[in-house]
Amino acid sequence: MNRQRVALFWFSATVAVSLIAMLVPLPAVLQPFKPYWPALVLLYWALESGERVSLGLAFAIGLFADLLDGVLLGEQAMRLTALIFIALRFRSRLRFFPMWQQTLAVLALLLNDRILLLIVRTFAGEASPTLSWWFSPFVGAALWPFLFLLLDDLRIRLRIA
C-alpha cells in the first residue's frame, strides 16, 4: 500500500471508531460523562492535518452520526461544522500551544458545542438539561492530551503527514 492509501485508511478508521464509540451504551449514571468522540477525533485531524478535514467533510460525518444516533437530522452536522470551522480558523495558533493551553482551548470548543446543542434542543421543544449534562465537555477536555498523544504517536509511526 502506498503512503496516501495508508493515510486515508488511518483517517477513516479513526473516524469510524469514534462513531462506534459514540454509540456504545453506558449505564444511566455514566451517560453524562460520555465524551463527544467524533468531535475529539475530527478536532485532532483538523489540527494535525488541516487539508484532510474540511467543513463539508465535517458536515457529512455529522449527518452520518445523526443517522446512526437517531437524533434530529442536522444536529450533529451543524455542531461538527461549527467546531471544525473554529478549529481550522485558529489552527495555526492552536497547534503550537502547550498541551495545557490546547486542552483549555478544546474545553472551550466543547463547551461551545454544548451551547449549540442546547440551543437546537430548546428550539426542538425539549426540557432544559440537568447540571450533569454539562460534564461531558470537561471529560472530553481531560481525555484530550491522552487522545492527542495516542493518535499523534500512531500517525508518526505510520509516517502519515
Side-chain angles (χ1 to χ4, degrees), residues 101-139:
Q101 283 181 333
Q102 200 176 76
T103 301
L104 289 177
V106 167
L107 175 62
L109 288 168
L110 293 174
L111 285 171
N112 181 61
D113 174 69
R114 275 295 169 166
I115 292 169
L116 283 175
L117 181 58
L118 179 64
I119 291 169
V120 167
R121 291 196 175 168
T122 301
F123 280 127
E126 292 186 20
S128 295
T130 61
L131 182 63
S132 65
W133 187 75
W134 293 95
F135 292 163
S136 176
F138 293 95
V139 172

Side-chain angles (χ1 to χ4, degrees), residues 20-86:
I20 291 168
M22 174 187 75
L23 295 175
V24 171
L26 292 176
V29 174
L30 297 177
Q31 195 63 31
F33 298 99
K34 187 175 182 181
Y36 188 29
W37 291 111
L40 291 171
V41 169
L42 279 179
L43 187 56
Y44 168 79
W45 285 111
L47 293 179
E48 287 305 308
S49 184
E51 65 278 352
R52 189 171 315 232
V53 178
S54 66
L55 297 179
L57 180 66
F59 188 81
I61 291 170
L63 278 179
F64 188 66
D66 288 333
L67 292 173
L68 284 176
D69 207 15
V71 295
L72 182 66
L73 189 62
E75 176 185 289
Q76 293 186 60
M78 181 199 62
R79 292 166 53 201
L80 286 176
T81 303
L83 183 118
I84 295 304
F85 173 78
I86 296 168

